[in-house]
Amino acid sequence: TTRASRTPLVASMVNLGIIVPDFEAATTEGPIKFHEYIEGSWTVLLSHPADYTPVCTTELGYMNKILPEFKKRGCKVLALSCDDVESHKGWITDIEKTQNCGTFSYPIIADPSRELAVQWGMVDPEEKDSKGLPMTCRAVFLIGPDKKLKLSILYPASTGRNFDEIVRVLDALQLTANHSVATPVNWKPGGDCMVVPTLTDAEATEKFVKGFKTVETPSGKPYLRITPQPDR
């Protein structure tokens, strides 16, 4: 069972930049109080439509394989599915055996009432289970150490996620949280970054010891300023 905290319920999808809802829930690793569990760390919360489903099985198995990548970035991972803990535990055995992913090492939250799915706005109105109840979509929530939502992605239940992209986005978010840069299209760690528009040229010169270059534009506006990744 789950029990929402006394913080206000969120009727629609959680918005970027706000503190995510707190809740208490049963998981495969015991009961948790969400805000206490994620205290001081980056966190990825993944929702899944149901246990014993084919796409979810591949996703959870792959996430377990790359879990060390999240741990070394100081990021916790949790999954949520609309079944109970005992169902989750049986499913984990299937995941470990069929996906060759080793011992399953992160908690799956139980949400059989769909209370959390509604609270976080992750219900897929187009997908129904065998009882006719709405299923959760494939949501990704990336939460900062300040408990504020930094990124959310919604996939339909029929489409599996790209978890390598979540690692890339985590790298970008951690970089831009600590330096006055933005990451351009298809950025990868080690690639050039963009100086944020709020910095003057004088401030950018002082801040970026590797310097920056301004791209000439037909408009004459000096808004494309490129600098090497500052923490490399």
Side-chain angles (χ1 to χ4, degrees):
T1 59
T2 61
R3 181 166 66 85
S5 76
R6 293 174 183 245
T7 56
L9 290 178
V10 178
S12 57
M13 189 174 182
V14 181
N15 292 321
L16 293 178
I18 71 164
I19 294 175
V20 298
D22 194 12
F23 59 84
E24 296 178 23
T27 83
T28 51
E29 296 184 2
I32 64 165
K33 295 180 179 179
F34 188 62
H35 277 193
E36 287 184 10
Y37 185 84
I38 68 174
E39 181 68 38
S41 70
W42 290 80
T43 304
V44 171
L45 174 62
L46 311 165
S47 67
H48 295 267
D51 294 359
Y52 300 103
T53 50
V55 177
C56 296
T57 299
T58 64
E59 289 184 325
L60 286 174
Y62 187 75
M63 175 57 83
N64 201 63
K65 290 178 181 178
I66 65 171
L67 194 62
E69 294 298 319
F70 288 90
K71 287 184 175 180
K72 75 182 185 183
R73 290 164 171 81
C75 184
K76 293 182 177 179
V77 174
L78 304 92
L80 176 148
S81 181
C82 291
D83 289 291
D84 60 30
V85 168
E86 289 310 306
S87 174
H88 290 348
K89 288 181 177 179
W91 185 29
I92 283 173
T93 301
D94 281 2
I95 294 168
E96 291 175 337
K97 296 299 183 183
T98 64
Q99 303 304 304
N100 299 312
C101 62
T103 302
F104 199 84
S105 301
Y106 58 97
I108 305 178
I109 298 166
D111 187 29
S113 69
R114 290 164 173 72
E115 180 181 347
L116 298 179
V118 171
Q119 184 185 28
W120 284 65
M122 41 172 128
V123 174
D124 185 341
E126 300 298 323
E127 296 286 343
K128 303 287 194 300
D129 65 11
S130 59
K131 299 177 183 177
L133 295 172
M135 299 169 70
T136 55
C137 59
R138 298 186 192 285
V140 178
F141 298 99
L142 215 165
I143 302 156
D146 56 3
K147 301 185 180 70
K148 292 182 180 180
L149 183 65
K150 307 301 182 182
L151 172 130
S152 61
I153 310 175
L154 287 180
Y155 294 72
S158 58
T159 303
R161 287 163 281 202
N162 183 335
F163 286 157
D164 293 332
E165 167 66 0
I166 306 307
V167 176
R168 188 193 75 88
V169 168
L170 177 58
D171 284 336
L173 287 169
Q174 291 183 336
L175 172 67
T176 57
N178 295 308
H179 301 277
S180 299
V181 294
T183 55
V185 62
N186 296 332
W187 175 87
K188 293 180 180 178
D192 287 345
C193 301
M194 315 302 291
V195 178
V196 295
T198 52
L199 283 186
T200 66
D201 282 354
E203 290 169 333
T205 298
E206 182 178 351
K207 183 176 286 287
F208 301 118
V209 296
K210 298 175 184 177
F212 67 94
K213 69 176 182 179
T214 302
V215 178
E216 292 185 6
T217 62
S219 68
K221 298 181 185 298
Y223 60 92
L224 290 172
R225 296 178 296 173
I226 301 171
T227 188
Q229 182 171 328
D231 61 352
R232 288 289 180 101

